[in-house]
Amino acid sequence: PPFKPEKNSENGAMSSAVAQALPPSILALFAPRPPPPFKPAPEKRKMPRYGTVAHLVSEFEEPSATPAPKPAAVVESKEARRARKAEKRKAKGEADLEAKVEAYDPNEDSKIKGDPYKTLFVARISYDTTEAKLKKEFEQFGPIRRIRLCFNTETGKPRGYAFVEYEQERDMKTAYKQGDGKKIDGRRVLVDVERGRTVRNWKPRRLGGGLGSTRAAKAPKNAPAAAPPGYGGDAGGYGGAGGG
């Protein structure tokens, strides 16, 4: 319990016996505080009386000489700024894509060689798969003349697809029918005919074409189903690119 000093019943002062037993540091706690300093009351200022502005009317500017106020600056909101930047990026992407589509001509590409009707397009290839491994897997359908495994020209990394040119067209057709879904290095590949040089106005997926569904816009729910694709028509297969 806290210490309570004994007090005399007459004047309430601490008993001398208790005062002598306490150390000076404790006795200082019971010392009276000094009185607050005296401060006179603040003087009330005399405020001027309210008047009119009639004597200042002559100093006013003429309304005709007053310049028009500047329009308030329009502050762009965060949502509007985000939408503007997205629209700018979209327009730039569409312009770049249009320029690439105009420049795309697989028949004039020096890297594309061989007979397009003997060439098989192979996609979804593992990045670890080599040309030798790919040749070994597809040689069972017939002798192969050339294999072109495509790489990114900027990074040098494989792009996951290749072109296989056979000696005979019938061997290519056999590989087209039997090679789809073949498992190579842990991945099932997808095969198709080469469409860059065999289908008129064909565009690869990187230019907004192809027949894959992952990058295409979703069709309306009530839209009629498309007819199954075939070989050699204006559409078909799964997105053969430029050529072999």
Side-chain angles (χ1 to χ4, degrees), residues 97-144:
L97 180 61
E98 185 177 355
K100 291 179 181 179
V101 169
E102 292 180 358
Y104 175 71
D105 188 2
N107 295 312
E108 300 296 332
D109 193 342
S110 60
K111 296 181 181 179
I112 301 176
K113 302 177 181 179
D115 190 345
Y117 294 96
K118 298 179 182 179
T119 302
L120 185 74
F121 172 75
V122 185
R124 300 180 184 174
I125 303 174
S126 172
Y127 293 155
D128 299 328
T129 303
T130 61
E131 290 187 2
K133 176 69 173 179
L134 201 63
K135 182 177 181 180
K136 180 180 178 182
E137 294 292 337
F138 281 91
E139 260 185 341
Q140 57 181 313
F141 304 112
I144 295 175

Side-chain angles (χ1 to χ4, degrees), residues 170-182:
R170 63 175 180 271
D171 297 334
M172 188 278 296
K173 293 182 178 180
T174 302
Y176 172 71
K177 296 177 181 178
Q178 301 180 11
D180 191 33
K182 188 177 183 63

Side-chain angles (χ1 to χ4, degrees), residues 30 109 121 135 167 179 195 201:
F30 298 96
D109 193 342
F121 172 75
K135 182 177 181 180
E167 295 285 350
R195 301 186 180 275
N201 298 327

Side-chain angles (χ1 to χ4, degrees), residues 70-85:
K70 295 182 180 180
V74 179
V75 180
E76 188 178 24
S77 64
K78 187 184 228 180
E79 292 76 11
R81 182 169 61 254
R82 188 182 294 114
R84 177 177 56 80
K85 290 183 178 180

Side-chain angles (χ1 to χ4, degrees), residues 27-40:
L27 292 176
L29 299 176
F30 298 96
R33 295 181 180 179
F38 174 77
K39 292 184 178 180

